[in-house]
Amino acid sequence: MADSSQQEQARRCGRAWRTVLVYALLGAVLAVAFVGYLRPQLVVGWEGLMALCGF
């Protein structure tokens, strides 16, 4: 029983890290987009970004 409890706890920890990573990546993309609006020489190619994401 202790093994299954430890496995479940490890799964939760893995999910938590994955969630943190997804939010950090989303924040980084939004930060780059915001900086792109502040600096005219840095243009974000939204079509290319969407193609990389599979849309």
Side-chain angles (χ1 to χ4, degrees), residues 7-48:
Q7 288 176 350
E8 182 63 31
Q9 186 177 11
R11 266 189 236 131
R12 281 190 205 144
C13 185
R15 274 190 232 138
W17 278 112
R18 191 176 315 144
T19 303
V20 168
L21 180 65
V22 166
Y23 280 117
L25 189 60
L26 178 63
V29 168
L30 291 176
V32 167
F34 182 71
V35 170
Y37 281 115
L38 292 178
R39 297 176 182 226
Q41 68 268 21
L42 179 65
V43 177
V44 177
W46 289 108
E47 294 83 18

